Amino acid sequence: MALTLSHIRSEGFSSADENAGNTEADGFRATRLSFSARHRLSDTVTLGGAAFFQSSRSEYDGFDATFTLVDRDNLFDRDDWGARAFAEIAAGRTTHELGVSLYDSTRRIDEEGDVTTFDGQRLTLSWQGTTEVSPGLTLVYGADWTEERARYSNLPTGEESSRIAGAFAQALWAPRGDLDISGSLRLDETSNFGSFVSGRLAAAWRPDQTLTLRAAIARGFRAPSIDERFGDYPGAFPFVGNPDLTPEESLSYELGVEKTFTGGARVSATLFALEIDNLITYVFGAPATLENLPGVSTRRGLELAAEVPLGFATADLSYTYTDARRPSGAQIDLVPLHEVELGLSAELAPRLSGRVGIRHVEGVVEFGAPHPAYTVADLRLDYALTEAVDLSLRVENLFDEEYQEVRGYGTSDRAFYVGLGASF
């Protein structure tokens, strides 16, 4: 059994850019209680469950008549709870898991006296079987059913629902010691958009103990949400959902290599591509809405990573290049062209360890205009007061960088976090 109680409170910072004269801090607080239990009734049957409740309040800003984010006394109250029960049944080489889960979210939004409410539920029933056919072959299969229901102020009908039922099968096959192959197939039947088949095929080959080559291809889909289809938000900047939206369909590819060296150094490289047909995108207007973007939107790129022991420390480096394009060739908003992360970890003393990390982002566009690049550094120190008690210090935005991830929205100045942890 496990029981967790947590509370977080922050005075925060202005969610509207402070450099534009917005100085009112937007705070946040949340309390969460969770419980889980697992009981083995016999050698073949195990029962378990989990539940949680969380209550939170966020302060946030709004827009003026020129669609500029400015200080506002807006409140977002949210209560979430969920529960899940499951049974595991072992039968020889096969294990079955039956589960049922329920999730509920209630939200109240107060925008300077204009109050809207939202209540949504999600019910899921699931079954999964796992059979070890042989030491080199495992089959995973099952089915699930989910219903989502929403009731909120900005639904013209007051209530909407959607359902999706699916069945899946997966094979994990190791035909020999240096080769792993996995294949999966899934059929989903939706209440609003018919059926869809998705799947994935992946392989990893190790020519020797220091080299791994891997490849994968997958097909997926995403159905529009209830709010994307039916949401109706009047006001100064009205938005109306589009009931004629159709699901996004995607095809992704991945090809990678990983190499380890004597002494512990490790490097890896991955080429990836994602093609999305009928991408759901925002359309400005009076009112604004959503539409399926005709054609294929793409994301293609390269990920590089390295970890190098330096004797006194360990350095790690990652770089991601992502070329995200609409069917017209225009760059997709808010997807960095270049993102670099550099870290250095070290044992500074017998009881003291530390890490410094630097992240650099550039090549972002927003509404077709270039977004300024930025570099942010973080620092963490951990000190073992005793064998059971640890003291930590974390400094985010170490050099107090002024930057924005989304134009008009503020980010934290230099922030300090002190923590104390004990085990018994």
Side-chain angles (χ1 to χ4, degrees):
M1 294 189 292
L3 177 67
T4 303
L5 174 64
S6 66
H7 179 76
I8 182 172
R9 180 184 294 266
S10 172
E11 292 182 357
F13 54 89
S14 178
S15 56
D17 182 19
E18 292 181 349
N19 291 329
N22 303 294
T23 58
E24 176 206 26
D26 295 304
F28 171 80
R29 67 175 185 262
T31 302
R32 182 182 180 94
L33 175 67
S34 61
F35 173 79
S36 64
R38 181 185 182 94
H39 180 57
R40 188 175 182 180
L41 293 179
S42 66
D43 291 340
T44 59
V45 179
T46 299
L47 300 180
F52 82 94
F53 173 78
Q54 177 169 304
S55 180
S56 64
R57 164 168 283 193
S58 305
E59 300 171 355
Y60 69 101
D61 293 325
F63 296 94
D64 64 12
T66 64
F67 204 67
T68 300
L69 192 67
V70 296
D71 280 339
R72 289 287 188 266
D73 294 324
N74 297 334
L75 295 175
F76 181 21
D77 293 310
R78 178 169 179 167
D79 291 331
D80 298 272
W81 65 268
R84 180 176 184 266
F86 67 88
E88 295 177 353
I89 303 171
R93 293 186 174 184
T94 298
T95 300
H96 298 279
E97 180 176 308
L98 304 172
V100 56
S101 64
L102 178 63
Y103 170 69
D104 181 276
S105 179
T106 303
R107 309 169 202 171
R108 182 181 183 274
I109 299 172
D110 184 346
E111 294 190 337
E112 298 182 303
D114 182 12
V115 177
T116 58
T117 59
F118 171 91
D119 184 45
Q121 293 87 34
R122 181 172 63 241
L123 174 65
T124 301
L125 308 177
S126 63
W127 159 64
Q128 178 175 301
T130 304
T131 300
E132 185 180 343
V133 179
S134 67
L137 177 62
T138 299
L139 301 180
V140 183
Y141 45 88
D144 49 51
W145 175 89
T146 298
E147 180 184 61
E148 292 186 342
R149 189 172 297 275
R151 294 178 294 275
Y152 56 102
S153 308
N154 297 100
L155 272 179
T157 60
E159 180 176 329
E160 294 287 347
S161 64
S162 65
R163 289 167 297 281
I164 183 169
F168 63 90
Q170 181 183 44
L172 306 173
W173 183 36
R176 60 192 199 206
D178 62 350
L179 180 62
D180 294 306
I181 300 173
S182 65
S184 61
L185 197 64
R186 180 181 175 94
L187 172 64
D188 283 296
E189 182 71 29
T190 68
S191 58
N192 302 302
F193 303 103
S195 59
F196 191 89
V197 177
S198 57
R200 184 174 188 269
L201 182 64
W205 176 45
R206 297 172 294 279
D208 58 55
Q209 295 297 317
T210 67
L211 181 64
T212 301
L213 306 175
R214 59 183 185 274
I217 182 172
R219 182 173 186 259
F221 85 108
R222 185 185 79 83
S225 69
I226 291 174
D227 196 58
E228 288 175 329
R229 298 176 65 210
F230 303 113
D232 187 351
Y233 296 84
F237 306 100
F239 170 84
V240 176
N242 183 355
D244 297 324
L245 289 174
T246 59
E248 299 175 342
E249 301 182 17
S250 65
L251 189 63
S252 61
Y253 314 85
E254 181 179 306
L255 186 64
V257 57
E258 182 173 329
K259 174 72 174 178
T260 57
F261 299 90
T262 304
R266 178 181 60 84
V267 296
S268 65
T270 304
L271 289 169
F272 64 88
L274 173 64
E275 300 175 352
I276 304 175
D277 195 18
N278 294 325
L279 178 70
I280 297 174
T281 186
Y282 193 86
V283 179
F284 285 97
T289 188
L290 297 168
E291 68 176 20
N292 290 104
L293 201 59
V296 177
S297 301
T298 61
R299 298 190 187 203
R300 297 187 175 94
L302 169 68
E303 293 179 345
L304 301 174
E307 185 176 290
V308 182
L310 302 176
F312 66 96
T314 299
D316 57 85
L317 171 69
S318 65
Y319 167 72
T320 303
Y321 168 80
T322 306
D323 186 20
R325 301 286 173 178
R326 294 169 176 258
S328 64
Q331 186 176 344
I332 295 177
D333 284 358
L334 301 177
V335 180
L337 193 64
H338 306 282
E339 186 165 0
V340 182
E341 294 190 27
L342 175 64
L344 189 66
S345 304
E347 296 292 332
L348 304 175
R351 293 186 177 186
L352 179 64
S353 62
R355 174 179 170 79
V356 61
I358 300 173
R359 182 167 66 102
H360 176 78
V361 175
E362 68 174 61
V364 176
V365 300
E366 191 172 356
F367 304 125
H371 200 287
Y374 61 88
T375 303
V376 182
D378 301 320
L379 172 69
R380 182 183 177 96
L381 297 172
D382 292 284
Y383 182 73
L385 295 174
T386 69
E387 291 185 356
V389 181
D390 295 316
L391 178 67
S392 65
L393 169 66
R394 189 171 85 250
V395 185
E396 295 187 355
N397 195 0
L398 181 63
F399 300 114
D400 207 21
E401 175 79 1
E402 295 288 345
Y403 69 101
Q404 295 180 358
E405 295 181 343
V406 178
R407 186 172 288 114
Y409 286 82
T411 53
S412 175
D413 296 331
R414 184 188 294 114
F416 298 86
Y417 301 83
V418 178
L420 188 67
S423 58
F424 305 95

